Amino acid sequence: MSSFKTRRVRRATTTLTAAALLGTLVSVPSANAAPGANDGRPGWQLKYVESFGKPIPDGGEWFVDDYSDPVDDLNDDNGDEYRLRWGPNFDAAMSTFKTMRKETQFGHSGWLTSSLSARDSGGRVDDSFNKIEDRPSITNATIPGAGRVGAISTPKHTGGALIRSTEPLPRYYRIEFKLKTLNYGGERNGSLSYDGKFNGYKTDVCKTFFPWPLSNNDPIVPSDPCETDTAVNGSVHSYNSFHMLSIVDFKPMPRNLGSYHRHRKVLIDQFSPAPSRDSTRQRVCNSATGEYYPWNESNRTTVNMLFFNGPQSQRQTFVSDCDELPVAGNQISAAEMIPELMPFQDYQFAIERDETGYAIEASGNFKHAGQTTYRYHRKFVDTDRNDNGTISQNVPIFRYNVPGDEYDGRFNSSATVRGPYGSRTWNDMWPAGSEYPEYFVIGQPYTNVGEGDASVDDIRLYVRK
C-alpha cells in the first residue's frame, strides 16, 4: 500500500486572463522574517533568509577546472562513459576548450554560494567566456513591480549559473524561494519566437550538446561543435529548461546534462521542449479536470515535479493530480505556468525532507487551476507505477540516506556502460554504510543545454524546531 500523499489547495475559483491580471495587480514586497521565527510553519524554525537587499559580492576569480577533483569518473564532464561511446574523438573534443569556473559566497554567514561555469574555446561559436557579455552571472537587480531580486543569467547555452547551499543541508529541512521572472524558453503570447529568440535561444550561431551528445548516433567532430545534435530545434532531444529547485548528493557546480542525472534525488524544474521533441506520450496535467493533455497544446512553460528512484538514479517518476501514484516513464508536467503574469505575480517552490521522506511544493497562479498550491509527499521507500500501468513496490528514492544509519545496503547495484570502444562496470553505486550529504540547487546547472535568464527572491531555509 502506497503512502504517497497529494495535497492541492485552491485559493481561487476562476483563472483570470493574463491581460486582466496585468492590468489590475499591484506588487507586494516580500516579508523579511527574522531568523529563529517559525513564520507560520509549525514544526519548522527559520534559520536563514536571503532577500537580495545587499549586493552579491563580486568575489572570487575565474579559474580553470582541470577535473582533478571530479564528481565521479562515470559521466562527469571528463567521465569514461564518453570515451567508451566516442573514443579518441571525445578526448580530442575536450582539448579544444577550457572549462572556466567561479564561486562566490553570499548571504548571512555566507550560507549561499553562487557557482558559475563558462567555456573558453578561443572565440569559437560555443565560447561563453571571452566576451564579457557572454559570461554567466548571478547579480542583484531591481525589477519594476518586484523590487530587489537575485538575477540569474546564462547568455549562452555553454554557460551555467546556479545558487546552492554552501554547506550540506541539515538532516531535516525545508528550502523555499520565490521565482519572480523566468525566460528559459516556452511560448509568450502564443509564440515560441519573440525578442529575436526561438524557445529562449538566440539564433545567431549553432547551439548543440557538444561534446556530450545524448545519443550514440550523434557525432562528435572535435573541430566543429555544430555537427553535434542541436539543443534549439530539429532534434528529438532539443529543449530549454530551468531548475526551480533540486536536491543533489554532491557539492553542485554547473556540469553537463548527463552528469546531473546520476546525482539528483528530488527535482522541480521548468521544461520547454522544442516542437521537434513533441510526442503524444508526453503530457501536462489539468488538475481542474484530473485529465492529461498533450505538451503541444501547452505554452511549453510547464512545471515538472519529480522523485528520482531506483538504484542508479535513472528512473524518473513524475507526480501530478492526474494520477494517484508517481509515474515512471515519459515526461508528465504537474501544471502550466503563466509567465506573462510575472513579475506582478510570482511562483513559490519548496522541498522538505522530514523523518519519513520528501515533500515537494509549487504555488502560484497556474493555467486551468487558478491560484493553487500543489504538494506531494513520498516516503524514502514507496510505491510507484510504470507508464504501462505496472505497479512497483519498495522503490527507493535514490541515495536518500544522509547519515549511514538510514540505509542497510539493500539497493546496492552496479552500472555498466557499453560502447563501440569497450565496456566498463562501476560497482557499489549505493553500498551499505554510504552517506550522501544533500545540497539544493536553484538555476541553470547544465553546460551543454539551456539559455536565458530568471530572477529569484526570498530564499529561506527552515530547520526542525
Side-chain angles (χ1 to χ4, degrees):
M1 189 75 178
S2 171
S3 65
F4 180 71
K5 295 180 181 178
T6 300
R7 186 188 75 192
R8 180 164 61 89
V9 181
R10 287 289 299 275
R11 295 181 183 148
T13 57
T14 59
T15 305
L16 298 178
T17 65
L21 283 163
L22 289 172
T24 59
L25 290 175
V26 295
S27 63
V28 179
S30 300
N32 290 318
N38 69 15
D39 196 26
R41 303 196 182 283
W44 297 103
Q45 177 175 298
L46 183 63
K47 184 173 184 179
Y48 294 120
V49 57
E50 175 58 39
S51 55
F52 298 96
K54 296 181 179 180
I56 298 173
D58 189 20
E61 299 292 332
W62 287 96
F63 64 93
V64 177
D65 190 336
D66 61 3
Y67 301 114
S68 58
D69 184 21
V71 178
D72 60 44
D73 64 350
L74 198 166
N75 64 347
D76 193 9
D77 283 3
N78 201 32
D80 283 346
E81 175 176 351
Y82 309 109
R83 292 183 180 86
L84 296 173
R85 298 187 187 281
W86 289 279
N89 272 353
F90 176 69
D91 284 319
M94 290 290 288
S95 70
T96 65
F97 66 88
K98 297 177 182 178
T99 297
M100 307 299 296
R101 288 183 50 211
K102 180 179 180 179
E103 293 201 332
T104 305
Q105 294 184 13
F106 67 100
H108 183 73
S109 300
W111 78 283
L112 296 173
T113 292
S114 159
S115 185
L116 309 175
S117 176
R119 185 180 300 181
D120 180 359
S121 60
R124 198 171 57 180
V125 293
D126 59 334
D127 192 293
S128 53
F129 181 77
N130 280 280
K131 293 181 179 179
I132 300 298
E133 61 268 26
D134 289 339
R135 292 182 183 178
S137 63
I138 298 177
T139 59
N140 293 88
T142 300
I143 298 178
R148 296 280 283 177
V149 298
I152 301 172
S153 176
T154 51
K156 295 193 72 171
H157 81 294
T158 57
L162 61 87
I163 297 172
R164 66 169 172 87
S165 46
T166 300
E167 301 297 330
L169 292 166
R171 186 171 183 176
Y172 309 121
Y173 58 83
R174 174 184 171 91
I175 184 74
E176 68 180 35
F177 83 103
K178 293 177 181 176
L179 184 67
K180 308 298 288 189
T181 61
L182 181 63
N183 296 296
Y184 277 92
E187 294 180 354
R188 298 297 183 273
N189 301 310
S191 176
L192 282 172
S193 298
Y194 52 90
D195 297 336
K197 303 176 182 180
F198 183 84
N199 200 24
Y201 289 96
K202 294 187 291 291
T203 56
D204 52 341
V205 296
C206 72
K207 316 275 184 176
T208 75
F209 292 98
F210 176 90
W212 303 286
L214 301 185
S215 168
N216 287 344
N217 297 323
D218 297 333
I220 295 180
V221 179
S223 61
D224 188 1
C226 294
E227 290 295 320
T228 303
D229 217 2
T230 176
V232 182
N233 190 34
S235 162
V236 295
H237 303 300
S238 303
Y239 74 100
N240 209 341
S241 73
F242 182 80
H243 276 215
M244 268 81 89
L245 199 55
S246 63
I247 301 298
V248 297
D249 66 5
F250 71 104
K251 184 179 290 186
M253 73 290 288
R255 279 308 204 237
N256 82 83
L257 166 64
S259 179
Y260 269 82
H261 275 248
R262 289 189 185 270
H263 293 279
R264 297 181 296 193
K265 304 184 184 187
V266 187
L267 169 66
I268 309 172
D269 74 348
Q270 174 255 342
F271 194 68
S272 298
S276 60
R277 186 170 176 146
D278 283 350
S279 167
T280 56
R281 296 177 298 173
Q282 298 161 341
R283 299 155 290 175
V284 184
C285 176
N286 180 343
S287 60
T289 64
E291 297 180 347
Y292 294 114
Y293 59 96
W295 252 347
N296 59 16
E297 294 179 8
S298 76
N299 63 12
R300 300 175 190 269
T301 312
T302 61
V303 179
N304 291 346
M305 306 178 74
L306 303 86
F307 299 102
F308 290 83
N309 301 336
Q312 296 179 20
S313 190
Q314 294 300 295
R315 181 184 171 95
Q316 300 183 114
T317 58
F318 299 85
V319 291
S320 76
D321 276 16
C322 291
D323 206 288
E324 294 181 357
L325 292 173
V327 180
N330 292 289
Q331 298 275 347
I332 293 172
S333 295
E336 184 175 338
M337 302 170 70
I338 310 175
E340 292 87 350
L341 304 181
M342 305 167 84
F344 300 102
Q345 284 198 13
D346 51 41
Y347 292 87
Q348 180 171 289
F349 301 94
I351 295 177
E352 291 179 11
R353 186 184 196 272
D354 62 20
E355 292 77 2
T356 62
Y358 296 88
I360 50 181
E361 284 183 10
S363 300
N365 193 333
F366 296 98
K367 189 175 181 180
H368 306 299
Q371 192 70 30
T372 305
T373 292
Y374 298 96
R375 178 181 171 91
Y376 305 97
H377 185 278
R378 180 179 172 84
K379 292 179 66 175
F380 296 128
V381 181
D382 214 328
T383 303
D384 61 31
R385 76 170 181 84
N386 292 329
D387 218 12
N388 63 10
T390 303
I391 294 178
S392 300
Q393 298 181 352
N394 297 318
V395 179
I397 294 178
F398 184 62
R399 292 179 176 174
Y400 63 82
N401 50 308
V402 173
D405 60 8
E406 288 186 318
Y407 170 68
D408 59 8
R410 72 183 69 183
F411 302 113
N412 193 19
S413 67
S414 62
T416 299
V417 176
R418 297 181 177 87
Y421 295 89
S423 65
R424 179 182 169 185
T425 297
W426 283 261
N427 294 313
D428 290 328
M429 296 294 291
W430 192 0
S434 56
E435 297 182 350
Y436 298 100
E438 299 184 343
Y439 296 80
F440 75 81
V441 172
I442 300 170
Q444 208 305 94
Y446 302 146
T447 55
N448 60 336
V449 65
E451 183 174 296
D453 62 81
S455 59
V456 302
D457 191 17
D458 208 23
I459 304 176
R460 296 171 178 241
L461 174 63
Y462 295 86
V463 297
R464 277 289 186 228
K465 294 188 67 172

